[in-house]
Amino acid sequence: MALAIDFRRTRLVRRASEWYAQLSLRARIAGTMIALLAMAGLILSAWAYLADERLKRNITLDLLSEELTHFEQRLHADRGAEPLRSARLSIYRSSDLAELPRHIAMLKPGEMHRVRSGKRLLDVLVRDGNFGRLYITYDVTTYATQEKIALLVLGLGVVGVVIIAGLAATAISRRLVEPITALADQLTRIDPQQRHVRIGAQFAGNELEPIARSIDTFMERLDGFVEREQSFTATASHELRTPLAVMRGAVELLETQTAGRPGATKAIARIQRAVREMTEFTDALLALSREPQRAVPAETTCDVYAVLARVVEDQRSVAPEKNIVMDLQGGPLRVAAPESMVAMTLGNLVRNAVQHGSGADVLCRSQGRELVVSNAGALPAGQLENIPPRFTSHPGGHGMGLYLVRRICERYGWAIRLENAGGGVTATVNF
C-alpha cells in the first residue's frame, strides 16, 4: 500500500503557514497575487521554451535527414560523389572517420545528438544505409548563443512583469483592504464613554455593511445595558440616602440620651462608623453612576492625610490587635475629588491590609504625591498586574473591594499598582 504523506504536518509547511498567518491582510492579498502571477509566468515561459526547443529540434532533424537522403541519391548516381562540406554543414562517410573526433564517431545511429567539439556546438545525425554509415554535422553554436540571449531576455521580462504586477497588486490590495481599515479606524476612534454611537450608515452599500450593522446592534444592546446599570445604581443610591439619614438622626438622638453611660459609648461609635461608611459607599456609587465628563467643581477638594487619619482610627477600633503606623511627610496632600471617593479608596486599601495581612503590622506612608499601604503576606502573580475585576475583595466577600478602588482611580486619573516586595504586599496610589 502506498504511503500517504500529509504535507500540512511537515515542519516547513507548518512554519510557512504560521509566518503567512502573521502577515497583514493587505500583505497576504498582495503576496498571493504576486505569487500566482509569478508562477503563471514561470510555467508559461517554461512551456514556451520547451515548445520552441522541440520545434527547432524537429526542424533541424528534418533538415539533416533530407541532406543525407539527397547525398544517398547522389551516391546511387555516382559512387564517387564527394560529400557536402561547408562552414556549418558537413557529411562524413565511414571512410572519413579519421576526420571526425572520436566521441562523434562513436555515436549510435538512428537519432540526433548534440555534442560539443572544441569551441563549436554540433547537432549530429548518424544513419546506416546501403552505402555504410553516414554522419552529418550541423554547427549550431551561433543559435545556442542566441538562445542564451533569448533566455536572458525572457527571464528579465518575467522579472519585470512580476515587479510591475507586484506594484499593481500592492495598489489593488490597498484598495481592497481600505474598507476594513476604515472600519478598524472608526472602531478605534469610538470613545468608550460615548453612548449612542452608530457606524452602519457610513458603510451602506459596502461589503462590510453586515459587519457594521452587527456592531451597531451590539453597541445598541451595550448602551441599553450601561444605561440600565447607571439608572439602577443612581436610583439605589438615592433610595439608600433616606434610611441612612434616619439612622444618622436616630444615632445622634441615642447618643444624647445615653450620655454618661460608658458601656453605650463604644457601641454607638461603632454604629456611627458603620453609618458613615455606608454613606460614603452610597455617595461613591452615585458618583460612579454619573457621566464621567462632568468636571469636579474647583472648590471640591479633599485632604488625603485627614481622610487617612480617620480611616486608620476606624480600623484601629475594629482590629485593636493590629499595629497600624502612619508615616506622612510634607504638608497636606489635597486632591480634586469628593471626600467620599478618597475615603472609599483609602478605606478599602487599609481594610484589605488589616484583614488579609499575615502579620500584625500595617504601614501607611507618603512619598510625594504617592500614598503607600504595605502589609506582610503575598498576592498571586495574576492579581499583581491586573486588579481582580470582580465585585469582591476576597473569596466569599460581600464588598466592592479592589474593583471599586480601580473604578475610582480610573475616574479621577489616579494610578494604582500592587507589588510583592520585601516580604509583603504594597499598594501604591499616585494622586
Side-chain angles (χ1 to χ4, degrees):
M1 180 181 292
L3 218 84
I5 300 177
D6 189 356
F7 291 98
R8 293 174 297 178
R9 296 185 179 180
T10 61
R11 180 178 300 179
L12 181 61
V13 173
R14 187 167 58 252
R15 288 184 178 178
S17 300
E18 293 174 355
W19 171 80
Y20 185 77
Q22 293 174 356
L23 298 176
S24 65
L25 179 59
R26 188 173 69 182
R28 290 201 297 270
I29 293 176
T32 303
M33 294 175 65
I34 294 173
L36 290 176
L37 186 60
M39 189 179 301
L42 290 175
I43 293 175
L44 183 61
S45 300
W47 176 83
Y49 173 74
L50 294 176
D52 180 65
E53 283 294 307
R54 186 178 182 84
L55 179 61
K56 288 190 295 185
R57 180 179 178 83
N58 291 336
I59 292 175
T60 304
L61 179 60
D62 291 342
L63 173 65
L64 299 183
S65 297
E66 288 183 3
E67 288 294 335
L68 284 179
T69 302
H70 180 68
F71 181 62
E72 287 177 338
Q73 291 175 353
R74 288 175 56 201
L75 289 176
H76 275 291
D78 180 9
R79 286 185 173 270
E82 291 293 327
L84 176 65
R85 300 289 175 88
S86 66
R88 299 185 61 182
L89 189 66
S90 300
I91 298 177
Y92 300 88
R93 293 173 298 187
S94 300
S95 57
D96 303 325
L97 291 182
E99 303 179 26
L100 282 174
R102 180 176 177 79
H103 65 280
I104 296 180
M106 298 297 293
L107 294 176
K108 295 181 180 181
E111 57 182 296
M112 189 174 70
H113 308 271
R114 176 163 290 187
V115 297
R116 181 167 293 279
S117 179
K119 296 183 179 180
R120 298 192 304 165
L121 190 63
L122 304 176
D123 279 345
V124 181
L125 178 62
V126 183
R127 178 192 294 178
D128 287 338
N130 297 329
F131 302 96
R133 180 166 293 181
L134 298 178
Y135 297 82
I136 182 169
T137 62
Y138 183 57
D139 189 348
V140 293
T141 305
T142 304
Y143 294 151
T145 304
Q146 293 175 351
E147 283 181 357
K148 291 180 180 180
I149 296 175
L151 281 176
L152 178 61
V153 172
L154 181 61
L156 293 176
V158 171
V159 172
V161 170
V162 170
I163 292 175
I164 295 174
L167 297 176
T170 302
I172 293 172
S173 64
R174 185 182 296 111
R175 293 294 300 272
L176 291 175
V177 178
E178 272 182 1
I180 300 177
T181 305
L183 177 61
D185 292 342
Q186 187 67 29
L187 294 176
T188 304
R189 286 195 297 268
I190 294 178
D191 188 349
Q193 308 298 339
Q194 275 186 294
R195 302 271 79 85
H196 308 293
V197 177
R198 303 294 181 265
I199 62 175
Q202 303 176 29
F203 296 91
N206 192 284
E207 295 82 358
L208 298 180
E209 183 178 5
I211 299 178
R213 297 296 183 188
S214 299
I215 294 174
D216 283 349
T217 302
F218 170 76
M219 294 176 66
E220 185 176 355
R221 295 174 59 189
L222 184 62
D223 288 343
F225 173 78
V226 173
E227 289 174 358
R228 287 192 298 271
E229 180 190 17
Q230 291 179 343
S231 176
F232 170 77
T233 306
T235 303
S237 301
H238 279 295
E239 293 296 330
L240 286 174
R241 282 188 167 189
T242 300
L244 286 173
V246 174
M247 292 171 62
R248 191 181 302 109
V251 170
E252 291 175 357
L253 180 60
L254 186 61
E255 184 180 16
T256 303
Q257 293 177 351
T258 58
R261 298 183 186 179
T265 303
K266 187 175 181 180
I268 292 176
R270 292 184 62 184
I271 296 174
Q272 287 177 331
R273 184 167 58 251
V275 171
R276 183 173 63 251
E277 290 178 357
M278 189 63 186
T279 302
E280 291 172 349
F281 177 75
T282 303
D283 292 341
L285 287 181
L286 183 61
L288 290 176
S289 67
R290 293 170 181 160
E291 291 296 329
Q293 286 80 4
R294 295 184 180 180
V296 178
E299 64 274 7
T300 306
T301 59
C302 174
D303 186 350
V304 175
Y305 292 167
V307 175
L308 178 62
R310 177 167 58 80
V311 168
V312 169
E313 187 62 31
D314 289 343
Q315 293 303 314
R316 284 172 177 168
S317 301
V318 174
E321 72 280 3
K322 296 287 185 177
N323 180 29
I324 307 177
V325 180
M326 290 195 304
D327 180 14
L328 306 179
Q329 302 176 0
L333 174 58
R334 307 194 68 84
V335 296
E339 182 177 334
S340 61
M341 307 301 277
V342 178
M344 285 299 299
T345 301
L346 301 182
N348 275 288
L349 294 179
V350 177
R351 188 182 305 112
N352 281 334
V354 170
Q355 293 179 357
H356 306 296
S358 59
D361 296 329
V362 176
L363 175 61
C364 303
R365 69 181 187 276
S366 63
Q367 298 175 352
R369 294 193 66 82
E370 288 188 345
L371 187 66
V372 182
V373 180
S374 56
N375 62 279
L379 276 178
Q383 294 187 9
L384 294 176
E385 299 177 359
N386 299 305
I387 295 177
R390 29 182 229 180
F391 294 97
T392 179
S393 58
H394 60 282
H398 301 285
M400 298 287 280
L402 295 179
Y403 173 79
L404 184 59
V405 172
R406 184 182 67 172
R407 288 285 305 276
I408 294 174
C409 290
E410 288 176 352
R411 171 63 63 89
Y412 293 98
W414 304 335
I416 180 171
R417 67 179 185 274
L418 300 178
E419 298 175 301
N420 286 329
V425 179
T426 299
T428 305
V429 181
N430 190 335
F431 294 98

